[in-house]
Amino acid sequence: MANDGAKIEECVEQVESISALRAPQRRKDNPLTRSLAGMLGMGVLGVMFLVCLGSLPWTLSAGVDADGQSIGVPRYDAGSPKAGRLPPSWWVYDEQDIERSTKAIEPAVLEQIALEHGSTVDQLIEAQDEATLDLVKPYWPRYWLGSDTLGRSLGVRLLAGGGISLTIGIAAALISVSIGTIYGAFAAYVGGKVDSVMMRAVDVLYGLPYILLVVLLAVASDAMVDEWVTHNKAKAKWMQNQVVETQFQETGEKLSRADARILLGEDQQLHDELVTQALALYPRREISAGTRTMLDVLTLLVAIGGVSWLTMARVIRGQVLSLKNQQFVEAAQAIGGSPTRIFVRHLLPNLIGPIVVYATLAVPQAILQESFLSFLGIGVKPPLPSWGNLAAEGLGELNTYRSHWWLLFFPCLLLGVTLLAMNFVGEGLREAFDPKRQR
Amino acid sequence: MTESTIEQTQSTTKSVLAEQPIMQVNNLAVSFDNGSGPRIQAVDGVRMTVYPRQTLAVVGESGCGKSVTSMSSMQLIPRPPGRFDRGEILYRLEDGTVVNLIELSEAEMRKIRGNEIAMIFQEPMTSLNPVYTVGDQIIEAITLHQDVTTKEAMQIAIDAMDAVGIPDPEGRIKAYPHQFSGGMRQRVMIAMALACQPRLLLADEPTTALDVTIQAQILELIKDLKSTRDMAVMLITHDLGVVAENADVVCVMYAGRVVEFANVYDLYANPMHPYTRGLLASIPTVYTKLDRLTTITEIVDNPEEFKKLPGADQGITPWWPWKDAPSDLCKRDEPAGDYVLRKVAKDHWVGVWRTQAVKNDESSPPELAFRVADQESATD
């Protein structure tokens, strides 16, 4: 019997040693680092983001001239038309470029060089020989990515524009993805009449041209800012009240508002007097040009994000509708999960795939929409650059006579690299969140 | 009171509890909104009883109300469009108090679901969430009802997976559902259902999607767990072979009503309702050579079949919706008013027309504390 026991144990050991009966050995890997392309994309995006946003304080601050004096114009807008359309400094300069580069040098500097070498400024500019070039070259304005029509450095403008475009793109995508996901998922999960009403609202918004909505939003926010700044309404009302009261005290007869307004229009002296008083009561608040720009960009961002969630809401609603009827939701109910729990724990994680894919598509979409809207004069207004309007400007510089290719090439290159990196990251994330792709 | 007397009282309470039904469905009627048309009466006047350690098999064709009955007891019927029209589902808690499951609030119901009553679904392929590991899902079921740490829950989950026969549970607990086969997933579902030690298991066609060998394993597993855990099982199926093998008491349903309720031996040996006879006759056997299989219609279309019921001469006729009602029908003013589930023989209930003869039906509600296992141990 003891022998039998030992034998049985041996058999059990043998059976347990059959590897097929054990769970497969899995390599411990971090799903987030699995995709090489995704990691690369993340790196590129990170560098792009850090450089563009990190340099914003520098690019937006006032530029300085050769003596270190502030010139009162932000760096991205500083430049001299004399140095317009110069190619990147490492590119081959032809005669025309050399002539214009020489003209772009500060006259004082040129005079000094001429003085040192015993010639006049005119002679210096006319002489295009090697010796003169070597003398003048160190003083040429250096544009490492070329200059635009107004002689502004394209490199600096790309940095500033990158900061703005990336902020708008990512923030707008975040806004649209969050609103869309919550709205669509809620509508589908609750279902019934709530779903119908919510989705018909989306249909109506879909029917309106989105540009109209964005313009409305932008104009409304602009008006709100103005109102806040000047208190015009409150001021006018106060002035009319003052007139009505004075009139009443003087003559004992009550004046209507409209009459008071007419009286104010006629009596310039009284009007000026009251304006001074009103200004003392409601001081005019000033906002700096920077703040104003920020507000504009913010409006644009909210407008784009607030309009582009519609597609997301529809996609997510469809997903939730199909997931909701899956048996695992019923199973989660059957083990006693509350509706909130089922929604957060069982439905949302299943939506990661479409959410990530849509988010990576929404970022480039937002950047492109921004450039389109900037063209219409809403949001990012020139001279403030964005990748979109830089590329739009560059397109016009492409012609058969003389192509200033750098003006189109560099904005497009950056835009393209960013979008490509974004797609790689999206693909990597989707793979990371999908358990079925696990190796 | 000494310790032994306490133990004695506890064991007597337990045995008393075991002899009382754990769940009793009384006159349940559930209907569904059909948009423009009239409401669809999914079940009507359904009565059945389950005892602890007993398997009640509910059989019938698709759409006869089997699943609606079991879903109602979990309040998993979507309302709207569903609605409980009448009736009650009485459930006896561990301390002996009886609650009506269809009147409980959502919060109270959540405490029952998974904890007192657990459910296994038909499709193991889709009843697990694809983005979580099976361990996560079993642990979720445990932490919802038990105050344990994640580590303890993990241990319970591993034990539960071990109990349902999943090899290497420590390793498999980190696996995703798609890495499991259908039978293994159904085991995971059962492990999930059993992790909180429920007292009633609703198995809604647990083996329909599985092949025959896995089917046998799963049913054997449910049978084992039933006896080791004093659990009651409500087995919903349309496989009469499964019923014969596993059930103690059988409830045959048709068109939302119970047509026959008896213990498994009685039912197979002496089916009383023509529909049950039709069901049984339609199963081919290997011993007889037939050119054409018998259909249920052949049986129920034969008027003679309706006269075989005991008391047929007194006007007791089996209820059948496709047949003209007897002339002396005493219809009550309610949807299932033309029907009565009547005890026609010892431990045997049949759905009959509410004729003059059964107008004042005084027979007891269908309840049988019968268990095949007890019979087998008695004969041993």
Side-chain angles (χ1 to χ4, degrees), chain A residues 330 335 341 345-346 350, chain B residues 71 129 132 140 145 168:
Chain A
E330 208 174 311
I335 61 166
R341 190 186 176 85
R345 237 189 92 88
H346 291 274
N350 276 293
Chain B
M71 296 289 238
N129 192 337
Y132 288 111
E140 186 190 7
H145 297 292
D168 190 12

Side-chain angles (χ1 to χ4, degrees), chain A residues 92-114:
Chain A
V92 192
Y93 275 39
D94 62 15
E95 271 181 31
Q96 255 192 340
D97 294 329
I98 291 170
E99 198 187 325
R100 281 190 302 123
S101 300
T102 317
K103 277 181 183 157
I105 301 175
E106 295 279 313
V109 178
L110 266 184
E111 255 171 51
Q112 208 182 342
I113 300 171

Side-chain angles (χ1 to χ4, degrees), chain A residues 76 145 147-149 152-165 367 370-372 374-375 380 382-397 404-412 414-415:
Chain A
Y76 65 81
L145 288 182
S147 69
D148 70 359
T149 325
R152 299 173 293 196
S153 163
L154 183 64
V156 175
R157 285 178 70 74
L158 277 177
L159 274 181
I164 289 161
S165 283
I367 291 179
E370 170 270 315
S371 71
F372 175 52
S374 301
F375 179 75
V380 180
L384 199 66
S386 77
W387 285 351
N389 62 28
L390 283 177
E393 279 170 25
L395 190 61
E397 295 296 332
H404 311 291
W405 55 270
W406 55 92
L407 288 176
L408 182 65
F409 178 72
F410 291 114
C412 291
L414 284 178
L415 207 57

